[in-house]
Structure formats: structure tokens, C-alpha cells
Amino acid sequence: MKTMMTTVLVATLMAGSAMADSTLKLVEVITSPERTETLKSIVGKFEAENPGTKVEIISLPWNEAFQKFATMVSAGDKPDVMEMPDTWLSLYANNGMLESLEPYLAKWEHTKELTPRALELGRDVKKTAYMLPYGFYLRAMFYNKKLLADAGVKTPPKTMEEFTKASEAVSKLPGKYGYCMRGGAGGLNGWMIFAASMAGDNKYFKEDGTSTMNSEGWAKGIEWMVDLYKKGYAPKDSVNWGFNEVVAGFYSGTCAFLDQDPDALIAITERMKKEDFGVIPLPKGPAGKSYPTIGYAGWSMFSSTKSKDLSWKLIATLEGKEGNLEWNKKIGALPAYSSAEKDPFYAGDQFKGWFEELADPNTVPTVMPTYLEEFALFKDSIAIKTSQQALLGDITAKQLADQWAAYLTKAQQKFLTKK
């Protein structure tokens, strides 16, 4: 009897161990209810194809994701697979926490079908695929047709000067504003876009590693952003707005302009008629050029995982043609597959502004310096705090430009010494 009980106990422990080994932890960080449901749908297919395997999905709210995920990792609570934003890749890859996906990509049937840009950006650190991008976030300008008409603005702005005048005209309407400014989490893109466009150049550094942030053109663009807010062309509380708030500010008719990625279409098309808004290329600066940021996110495997092959299978399901299109159609990003442009979903007028930008030689999609280890902290913490100080008048626009230049110069020169 005792022998039988021992056998049963050992078998139970072994079964429990097998169950634990077949549980994968997946962290998503750019979250929304719609995204999470879509992720669950794709993961459900993976679980069905891999009986006995369960995926635990942990969803971190984006506004707090950087700090929360860093706390998890420092406590030893690391996932098997995670949604990796471009701005975090260098931090985790350079610290040896991510597994190279190169051995898997070399054998994967879909590798050759991915866009060259996807593979290039996934290999941003040490020319090694520590992340497989699922899609791209390219900024363009949403505009409210009714608000422009009410303000007497006949055509949507093509230049930053016209944009300022149109924002001023709309802001004269009771309770209305020109620009849905993103002063909170994720707001750095707007500052970089308009500063580069004002400067007519998207180079972040000189050859010696000195930042261009406080050079004449860039500093003028930073001052232009501060002036928009101080003149009342953006809502007062937009100093704290993140993604959800700026999108709501647009579809509610509070403000007429919103610079955003295609993912904003999800909420906007649900709440606005197609004929009431449009998407156009970002306004150009004095040099006749604009520099919309192009961001990306993807899937990474932590090197600490005990189930590498199974973790890759999960990434392959998420990044496979079926999963990738399902995911991007829901989140609004431009997919990683070359064939996606032919999909009827992307052929409509709603995506016209982004494809016009891609076709215009004077519109230059620009990647922020995400290769710097220090950039994640800069984007998700330092830049938010200091830009809010400038908007509220606690520091000047020049002081903001000088602070950003000092931080980025130190990071770039450190990077150059390691090359």
C-alpha cells in the first residue's frame, strides 16, 4: 500500500512538473481591451495546436508599463515571450536578457516573406534579431472636417505655418482647440517630428556625438510646440494626455488635429463617420520637408526561458501570416509582410495619408535613436517630466532643448566609445 501511495505521489509530482514546464508567460505592454482580446484569440489557436500547453497573458497598462516591467524583471519575474517596443529593445538586448532569434529565422518558412524593413529593424542591436517586428507605426495627421469648416479653414494644412493658423482659427470656437497635444506618456514623437521638420533635418547627432536638440532649427521646433500650448491652441489638460486621451479628444470633437499612427483608427472609426474626418501627410517645415516618426514593436524571447523551442512556436504563431494580419488589422499597424499592401483592408481611403507619406520623397520616415540603452528611460520618463515643465512655464523652451541635448549627447558619446 505504501509503495502504491509513493508511486501515485511521484506520478502526481511529475505531472505537476510537466504542467509547469508547458506553461508560457506572455507579457503585452501596448495594451487596450481590443488588443488583449485579439491576442487571446491568436494564443488560443496556439494552445489548440499544442495540447497541454497553456499561455499566461499578463497585460501591463502602457502608461505604467516601462516601470512595472522593469520592476518585474529586477524581481526575477521574467516572461518567456514579450511584446517588445522599439524603444526598449536596446536596453534589454544589450543587457543579455534576450535570446537571438537568428537560428529560428534561418529555418522559418515565412522569413523571406517579411519586408526587408522588418528584418532590418529587428536586428537593430548588434545586427542580431533580438526582436521580430509585427508592424510599423507611422505618424500622419488626422483632421476634423466639420471643425475646420466651422472655423472657416477651407483646406487642411500642408505646412507648419498653415497648421498654426488653422489651429488658431479653430481655437476661437467655444470649447474647441486646434491640436490634440500628447503631453503625457508617448508624447516624445510629436516633439521630435515637429522639431526635425522645423530644422529641415532628422539627424539627431553630429559626428562627434553631440546632440542637435539645442541647435537653432531643432530648438525653434521645440519652442513652436511650447507656443502652441501656451497660446491655447491645445486643451489645458492635454499636458497630461496619453494615447487614449488624445484619441478621445479628437473623436469627441474637442480638437481638430491629431498626429497619430494607424492604430488610432480603431477607436475613431467606431465613433466618427468616415466623411467627417480625413488623414493627410504631416505638415512640412520651412525647408519643405517633414519627418514623421516610424516606430515599431514586435515579439522577443527572454533568454531565461526554459522552453525556447516552445516559445519560438508561440512567436511563430503570432508572427505567422494569419496571426500577423489578424493582429495588425485590429491594432491598426502596418503589417510586417510584403504582401499585406495588396490586402483590401489597406486599400481604402483611411490609409491614404500614410501611403502618400511613404510615396513622397520630401516626407522622410524617421526612426528615433532607440539603439541607445538610455533612450527608453529618456522617452518614457525624463522627456515627459521635462516637456511638461516647459509647457507649464517652469522652464523655458531653451532650457528644455539644452537638457535634452545634454542627456542625449552623453548617451551617444558613450555609445560611440563602445563601437
Side-chain angles (χ1 to χ4, degrees), residues 20 26 29 66 86 88 96-97 127 141 148 201 205 289 296-297 304 330 358 383 404:
L26 169 63
V29 297
F66 180 74
D86 53 356
W88 300 12
M97 295 187 186
K127 296 183 179 180
M141 187 67 74
L148 293 194
D201 190 358
F205 304 99
K289 292 180 177 292
Y296 57 100
S304 55
K330 179 57 70 173
L358 291 171
W404 286 6

Side-chain angles (χ1 to χ4, degrees), residues 268-286:
I268 291 171
T269 54
E270 286 179 355
R271 295 167 176 86
M272 293 182 75
K273 295 178 181 178
K274 290 182 180 180
E275 59 269 23
D276 290 343
F277 74 94
V279 182
I280 54 173
L282 283 162
K284 293 180 169 66

Side-chain angles (χ1 to χ4, degrees), residues 245-265:
E245 290 82 9
V246 292
V247 174
F250 182 77
Y251 67 62
S252 67
T254 300
C255 34
F257 298 111
L258 168 68
D259 67 279
Q260 254 309 325
D261 313 310
D263 56 352
L265 280 169

Side-chain angles (χ1 to χ4, degrees), residues 119-133:
L119 292 169
E120 174 195 344
L121 294 174
R123 291 171 171 141
D124 192 48
V125 177
K126 300 177 183 177
K127 296 183 179 180
T128 302
Y130 289 114
M131 180 243 273
L132 190 52

Side-chain angles (χ1 to χ4, degrees), residues 36-336:
T36 302
E37 286 306 309
T38 305
L39 185 59
K40 287 179 180 178
S41 169
I42 302 170
V43 165
K45 294 169 187 174
F46 167 79
E47 290 176 334
E49 292 169 1
N50 295 273
T53 299
K54 176 161 180 60
V55 178
E56 177 190 359
I57 298 175
I58 298 173
S59 302
L60 301 179
W62 174 242
N63 288 1
E64 307 164 13
F66 180 74
Q67 289 82 1
K68 286 196 171 186
F69 187 72
T71 301
M72 282 177 59
V73 171
S74 64
D77 186 14
K78 299 174 184 176
D80 299 284
V81 175
M82 75 163 291
E83 180 182 18
M84 179 65 70
D86 53 356
T87 52
W88 300 12
L89 179 61
S90 177
L91 177 63
Y92 290 103
N94 279 312
N95 283 287
M97 295 187 186
L98 303 182
E99 186 74 12
S100 169
L101 302 179
E102 295 292 354
Y104 302 101
L105 289 173
K107 300 176 183 177
W108 195 39
E109 60 181 335
H110 296 304
T111 300
K112 292 181 180 179
E113 299 174 66
L114 298 171
T115 64
R117 189 74 167 168
L119 292 169
E120 174 195 344
L121 294 174
R123 291 171 171 141
D124 192 48
V125 177
K126 300 177 183 177
K127 296 183 179 180
T128 302
Y130 289 114
M131 180 243 273
L132 190 52
Y134 56 64
F136 309 104
Y137 298 94
L138 179 66
R139 288 292 172 98
M141 187 67 74
F142 289 78
Y143 70 99
N144 185 311
K145 295 179 181 180
K146 284 187 172 182
L147 280 182
L148 293 194
D150 290 346
V153 179
K154 295 180 179 179
T155 57
K158 294 183 179 180
T159 67
M160 289 174 66
E161 184 180 3
E162 291 175 358
F163 178 81
T164 302
K165 290 179 179 178
S167 294
E168 179 183 10
V170 174
S171 299
K172 289 178 180 177
L173 299 173
K176 305 298 180 182
Y177 301 88
Y179 181 41
C180 285
M181 181 174 284
R182 187 167 174 174
L188 182 62
N189 295 66
W191 293 87
M192 292 295 199
I193 290 167
F194 291 120
S197 299
M198 185 65 79
D201 190 358
N202 65 348
K203 292 184 179 66
Y204 295 108
F205 304 99
K206 299 175 183 177
E207 287 187 12
D208 64 356
T210 304
S211 170
T212 57
M213 282 294 119
N214 59 350
S215 63
E216 183 180 357
W218 285 80
K220 192 174 180 181
I222 288 172
E223 185 177 13
W224 180 84
M225 282 284 282
V226 173
D227 284 347
L228 277 178
Y229 181 80
K230 287 187 173 180
K231 288 177 179 177
Y233 301 165
K236 282 188 177 181
D237 56 348
S238 66
V239 67
N240 294 309
W241 281 6
F243 176 79
N244 291 333
E245 290 82 9
V246 292
V247 174
F250 182 77
Y251 67 62
S252 67
T254 300
C255 34
F257 298 111
L258 168 68
D259 67 279
Q260 254 309 325
D261 313 310
D263 56 352
L265 280 169
I266 299 167
I268 291 171
T269 54
E270 286 179 355
R271 295 167 176 86
M272 293 182 75
K273 295 178 181 178
K274 290 182 180 180
E275 59 269 23
D276 290 343
F277 74 94
V279 182
I280 54 173
L282 283 162
K284 293 180 169 66
K289 292 180 177 292
S290 68
Y291 299 92
T293 53
I294 182 168
Y296 57 100
W299 309 110
S300 288
M301 183 194 307
F302 262 68
S303 53
S304 55
T305 180
K306 296 179 180 179
S307 307
K308 291 181 180 178
D309 287 344
L310 197 58
S311 294
W312 165 252
K313 277 189 175 182
L314 175 57
I315 291 174
T317 301
L318 293 165
E319 187 77 10
K321 266 187 154 180
E322 184 181 338
N324 186 254
L325 277 175
E326 180 183 350
W327 176 248
N328 283 291
K329 284 179 180 180
K330 179 57 70 173
I331 69 170
L334 303 173

Side-chain angles (χ1 to χ4, degrees), residues 381-394:
S381 182
I382 294 171
I384 298 170
K385 180 181 178 181
T386 52
S387 62
Q388 288 175 336
Q389 288 174 333
L391 293 173
L392 295 173
D394 297 332

